[in-house]
Amino acid sequence: MDPTPRLSAVVADGVATVTIEHPEKRNALTPRMWRALPELLARTATDPAVRALVLTGAGDVFSAGADIGALREPGDAMQDLSVRAEEALAAFPKPTLAAVRGYCVGGGAQLAVACDLRFAEEGARFGITPAKLGVVYRSSSTRRLVSLVGPSTAKYLLFSGELIDTGRALRVGLVDEVLPPGELAGRVAEFTRVLTTRSQLTQAAAKEYAAGREDRDAYWAAQAGAGGDREEGVTAFLERRTPRFGWTVGGAGAEAGAELPRGSRRTDQSVT
């Protein structure tokens, strides 16, 4: 495996898989990697071939967080970079899923929490660790964690910096599914394949509403009226066939509704 710290992105069958690669430091993210993530996400968000995104780590670790050596830099530059990357991931307009093996700690957990969903392999360990370093977790990151696991669990994680296992993570809502060893990749592929067949209109609107936005009812009603997904969904159900939804993020109609070429692959790497 190439030891150069980097983020890599591969698009296949409608799913972009972004991999954190820094094997020498348990996939810790360097400042350049934090800086590269929003740019990579921006490019991926506008790719019409992408209908969902998976974030994972190379090998048997998701991410041990930020490269601690970089925290010696003065000021909050490192934290600014990590929060900017977290916000870019949370704002990604299509469904996102963190596929977690091994350690998911600190900045790694920050990114996993910013995803819409989290699937983990048994044996994974989760921790939010700023209290071990004297770092003040940003308000936006704290609120996102609280909305996911509730105030009591958020305080437990933030106050102590202790790691929790997949059993507890599942109970408190930090993860959505736990898979036996060797089954994570297959389950993620199966589930994201389902996501790529569903209405992006429904997904995009639901994602905004779930994030707390309340001023877009008229916008989404207009999109639903013009997009044709409802008519296609009902017709496909009555005809007992798979629907061919046409609405996509950033486009609509026949151009946006082109069928994805199954098995197509494109590799886009950001070396950092």
Side-chain angles (χ1 to χ4, degrees):
M1 184 182 293
D2 186 346
T4 305
R6 66 178 183 175
L7 302 172
S8 66
V10 175
V11 178
D13 296 335
V15 179
T17 301
V18 176
T19 305
I20 303 165
E21 300 184 26
H22 191 181
E24 290 187 346
K25 293 193 176 182
R26 292 183 174 178
N27 295 333
L29 289 110
T30 65
R32 287 185 178 181
M33 293 170 77
W34 286 117
R35 193 175 291 111
L37 184 57
E39 299 171 4
L40 188 157
L41 292 172
R43 293 195 303 271
T44 306
T46 59
D47 186 343
V50 174
R51 292 177 176 265
L53 182 142
V54 173
L55 179 67
T56 193
D60 58 0
V61 173
F62 183 79
S63 174
D67 190 335
I68 300 301
L71 293 177
R72 291 182 178 273
E73 298 295 323
D76 294 329
M78 184 68 166
Q79 197 174 10
D80 290 341
L81 289 175
S82 67
V83 171
R84 195 173 302 130
E86 174 194 358
E87 293 300 323
L89 184 56
F92 192 79
K94 303 168 187 180
T96 58
L97 187 152
V100 179
R101 295 182 186 84
Y103 287 100
C104 180
V105 178
Q110 190 176 352
L111 291 178
V113 168
C115 290
D116 297 314
L117 300 166
R118 286 146 297 280
F119 288 9
E121 186 175 83
E122 287 178 1
R125 304 274 284 176
F126 298 84
I128 314 287
T129 54
K132 291 185 175 182
L133 300 168
V135 172
V136 177
Y137 212 46
R138 293 289 173 84
S139 60
S140 59
S141 304
T142 301
R143 288 195 300 271
R144 183 168 291 114
L145 179 64
V146 169
S147 71
L148 183 63
V149 301
S152 181
T153 297
K155 290 174 184 177
Y156 176 93
L157 293 168
L158 285 165
F159 290 179
S160 71
E162 293 293 294
L163 304 188
I164 63 173
D165 62 16
T166 49
R168 183 165 186 174
L170 184 63
R171 289 195 302 273
V172 301
L174 186 57
V175 299
D176 300 283
E177 291 191 16
V178 175
L179 287 306
E183 295 185 15
L184 178 64
R187 174 57 180 150
V188 169
E190 175 190 44
F191 187 76
T192 52
R193 192 178 303 117
V194 170
L195 295 181
T196 65
T197 69
R198 303 306 195 228
S199 167
Q200 281 197 53
L201 174 65
T202 301
Q203 292 169 344
K207 184 161 181 167
E208 277 199 1
Y209 291 151
R213 189 155 185 178
E214 298 178 346
D215 62 342
R216 297 260 281 179
D217 283 348
Y219 171 82
W220 288 116
Q223 291 293 306
D229 273 15
R230 178 180 176 182
E231 292 79 4
E232 169 61 17
V234 172
T235 300
F237 178 82
L238 294 174
E239 294 178 356
R240 298 184 179 181
R241 62 171 173 81
T242 300
R244 296 182 292 273
F245 293 117
W247 192 96
T248 64
V249 173
E255 178 184 353
E259 240 181 87
L260 290 173
R262 292 289 147 184
S264 65
R265 296 183 67 86
R266 178 176 62 78
T267 301
D268 176 16
Q269 292 189 341
S270 175
V271 179
T272 62

